[in-house]
């Protein structure tokens, strides 16, 4: 027997879940909405965790309407998609009409020797950032493992806090996988000009410490970097645990397989956010994206489709990344199949430029530092190409 009844059950109280619940109310849905999240805190935006929240504890809460019931510190353990019931941690259950899964992603762990030492941090929640802030006092030495957005952002933020930062990653330059070598070299140069040490083309062999605390990172090439703290930022893994145990189909990109209108393989059960692998009308195939604005947009789209619209999610994905107050990178795309041409506009030397990425003569993505008009143009061109 079910303890509760919800017309719409939203699982996961992050950006996608909170925006889905808010959009249902904004559209005038007057049934009961239950938003269930496993974290201690009510919904908040995740991007500040590596930026202003890390440096100054300033967070950005996500609004949840008063007439949405929010359960924090609660996990949905299992869904029976035929009986339309959900088992909650703590023993209760919910019967639902429709469900939206927004379970996000978890950090990718680095399973090397010494990984259990104290002082090795990962960043996904506000509490993770609190713990890092406490450990990484001004003057301390931090090694950042990874060359992607989180490692670059955290290196920039900690440097402004007086922390001595060294990055280690296997790519030739940071962010080159996302934006190519030209932009990668520019970003790396920017970080280095502010005092970040960068060990590119190297990996982590092991962490060392004589006692319980990490004291050293030994790299694959045999370098030894003394440190007080380590931050590992090597990507995220979509959280499909609930979807898998509930029998939903998964996709080749590790997410929950969804139609263009974000419906999973179980009719009436939708997905949105980092774990949603949807059939993108813009990209012409399945795509999974880990961006804040995409999670928000998909949450809203899922809400509309819960109410029966059946519309595809067709926003042009947008992403931004702040490197302290040194630079903001913005991008549309992403170029899921890569690119074979880069058009540079503006001046990289002056720090105001855009790069437009094309594949076989067709625009597939663009990034900019300080030239938003280029991004608007690229967005329009991507939209128009998909509609043609
Ligand atoms: C440090 C950091 C910085 C970032 N910076 C940027 C940025 O600058 N720009 C950008 O575009 N994107 C950024 N991102 C990515 C962006 O934050 C994510 O794409 C976005 O948070 C995804 O939202 P979501 O709702 O899909 O997942 P999440 O925000 O991960 O929320 C999912 C929630 O579901 C909960 N959950 C999981 N399973 C269950 C269950 N069974 N029952 C109940 N609850 C469950 C989780 O605990 C979590 O709270 C950043 C991410 C991180 C970690």
């Amino acid at each position: 027997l079910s303890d509760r009844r919800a017309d719409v059950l939203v699982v996961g109280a992050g950006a996608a879940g909170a925006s889905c619940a808010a959009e249902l109310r904004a559209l005038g849905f007057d049934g009961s909405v239950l938003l269930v999240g496993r974290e201690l805190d009510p919904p908040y935006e995740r991007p500040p965790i590596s930026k202003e929240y890390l440096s100054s504890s300033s967070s950005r809460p996500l609004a949840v309407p008063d007439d949405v019931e929010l359960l924090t510190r609660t996990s949905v353990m299992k869904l029976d998609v035929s009986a339309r019931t959900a088992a909650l941690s703590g023993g209760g259950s919910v019967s639902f009409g429709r469900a939206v899964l927004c379970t996000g992603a978890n950090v990718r762990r680095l399973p090397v020797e010494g990984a259990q030492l104290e002082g090795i941090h990962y960043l996904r929640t506000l509490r993770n950032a609190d713990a890092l802030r406490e450990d990484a006092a001004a003057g301390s030495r931090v090694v950042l493992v990874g060359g992607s957005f989180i490692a670059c952002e955290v290196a920039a933020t900690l440097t402004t806090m007086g922390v001595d930062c060294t990055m280690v990653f296997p790519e030739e330059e940071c962010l080159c996988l996302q934006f190519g070598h030209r932009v990668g070299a520019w970003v790396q140069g920017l970080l280095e000009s502010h005092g970040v040490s960068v060990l590119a083309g190297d990996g982590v062999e092991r962490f060392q410490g004589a006692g319980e605390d990490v004291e050293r990172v030994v790299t694959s090439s045999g370098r030894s970097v003394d440190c007080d703290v380590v931050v590992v930022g090597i990507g995220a893994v979509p959280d499909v645990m609930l979807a898998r145990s509930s029998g939903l189909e998964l996709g080749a990109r590790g997410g929950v397989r969804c139609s263009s209108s974000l419906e999973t393989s179980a009719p009436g059960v939708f997905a949105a956010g980092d774990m949603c692998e949807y059939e993108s009308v813009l990209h012409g195939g399945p795509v999974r994206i880990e961006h804040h604005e995409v999670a928000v947009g998909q949450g809203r789209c899922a809400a509309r489709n819960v109410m029966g619209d059946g519309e595809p999610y067709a926003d042009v994905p947008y992403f931004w990344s702040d490197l302290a107050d040194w630079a903001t990178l913005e991008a549309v795309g992403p170029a899921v199949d890569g690119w074979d041409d880069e058009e540079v506009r503006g001046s990289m030397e002056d720090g105001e430029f855009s790069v437009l990425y094309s594949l076989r003569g067709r625009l597939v993505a663009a990034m900019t530092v300080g030239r938003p008009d280029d991004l608007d143009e690229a967005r329009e061109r991507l939209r128009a190409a998909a509609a043609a």
Side-chain angles (χ1 to χ4, degrees):
L1 225 67
S2 298
D3 304 322
R4 292 166 185 271
R5 158 89 204 160
D7 293 314
V8 180
L9 168 68
V10 184
V11 185
S19 69
C20 177
E23 183 74 359
L24 283 167
R25 289 302 183 227
L27 293 169
F29 180 76
D30 61 1
S32 52
V33 180
L34 177 64
L35 175 59
V36 181
R38 124 181 354 140
E39 287 189 57
L40 308 177
D41 297 295
Y44 58 87
E45 291 188 12
R46 238 167 259 290
I49 290 172
S50 47
K51 310 177 184 71
E52 65 266 27
Y53 184 77
L54 184 57
S55 57
S56 65
S57 303
S58 127
S59 66
R60 283 201 293 253
L62 287 160
V64 177
D66 291 342
D67 52 0
V68 165
E69 189 183 0
L70 171 65
L71 289 181
T72 54
R73 306 174 187 223
T74 309
S75 291
V76 172
M77 309 301 288
K78 187 145 180 106
L79 286 182
D80 182 331
V81 291
S82 323
R84 306 237 161 174
T85 55
L88 303 181
S89 56
S93 68
V94 185
S95 70
F96 59 86
R98 300 200 158 205
V100 185
L101 302 193
C102 307
T103 52
N106 297 311
V107 295
R108 187 184 300 283
R109 300 256 158 200
L110 185 63
V112 296
E113 191 185 322
Q116 80 294 344
L117 288 166
E118 296 286 332
I120 300 175
H121 292 260
Y122 290 82
L123 272 189
R124 185 80 198 171
T125 65
L126 294 179
R127 307 298 168 130
N128 297 150
D130 292 338
L132 173 59
R133 194 186 314 108
E134 199 157 299
D135 272 11
S140 62
R141 299 156 305 171
V142 175
V143 171
L144 298 118
V145 181
S148 188
F149 296 110
I150 302 280
C152 290
E153 290 188 355
V154 174
T157 305
L158 290 179
T159 299
T160 63
M161 294 162 66
V163 174
D164 178 39
C165 292
T166 302
M167 297 178 71
V168 181
F169 53 83
E171 300 91 306
E172 276 176 68
E173 301 96 8
C174 48
L175 294 184
C176 67
L177 298 180
Q178 291 77 14
F179 296 133
H181 295 297
R182 209 187 309 238
V183 174
W186 184 87
V187 172
Q188 192 157 312
L190 180 72
L191 292 168
E192 287 173 330
S193 73
H194 285 276
V196 178
S197 302
V198 179
L199 305 180
D202 208 348
V204 171
E205 184 68 27
R206 60 184 177 278
F207 300 119
Q208 285 184 332
E212 290 182 352
D213 298 331
V214 68
E215 293 173 347
R216 197 168 305 107
V217 176
V218 179
T219 73
S220 318
S221 72
R223 284 189 273 212
S224 177
V225 187
D226 290 342
C227 62
D228 308 298
V229 174
V230 168
V231 181
V232 183
I234 55 168
V237 183
D239 188 337
V240 294
M241 225 156 69
L242 178 65
R244 182 184 276 131
S245 71
S246 310
L248 301 182
E249 275 178 34
L250 303 183
R253 284 152 193 77
V256 177
R257 197 163 152 192
C258 292
S259 67
S260 57
S261 54
L262 310 185
E263 194 163 21
T264 69
S265 55
V269 178
F270 297 80
D274 283 3
M275 37 62 85
C276 170
E277 185 170 326
Y278 67 107
E279 212 42 50
S280 169
V281 291
L282 257 148
H283 297 88
V287 173
R288 190 180 68 77
I289 296 173
E290 295 173 4
H291 297 346
H292 176 80
E293 293 291 336
V294 173
V296 170
Q298 289 184 346
R300 290 187 183 137
C301 179
R304 292 192 287 276
N305 290 337
V306 156
M307 293 180 68
D309 277 6
E311 67 167 62
Y313 173 74
D315 296 356
V316 177
Y318 165 82
F319 173 82
W320 85 98
S321 176
D322 294 328
L323 301 173
D325 60 359
W326 311 338
T328 294
L329 283 60
E330 296 178 280
V332 291
V336 284
D337 297 318
W339 63 92
D340 55 22
D341 186 53
E342 295 180 4
E343 178 199 347
V344 181
R345 296 182 181 176
S347 159
M348 294 186 84
E349 211 166 61
D350 297 339
E352 270 196 19
F353 63 93
S354 304
V355 182
L356 277 69
Y357 303 87
S358 302
L359 180 64
R360 293 186 284 278
R362 187 178 162 151
L363 183 73
V364 287
M367 70 81 63
T368 193
V369 178
R371 289 174 56 104
D373 290 353
D374 290 337
L375 216 60
D376 290 343
E377 179 199 317
R379 186 184 282 112
E380 275 318 308
R381 282 172 60 187
L382 290 168
R383 202 176 277 144

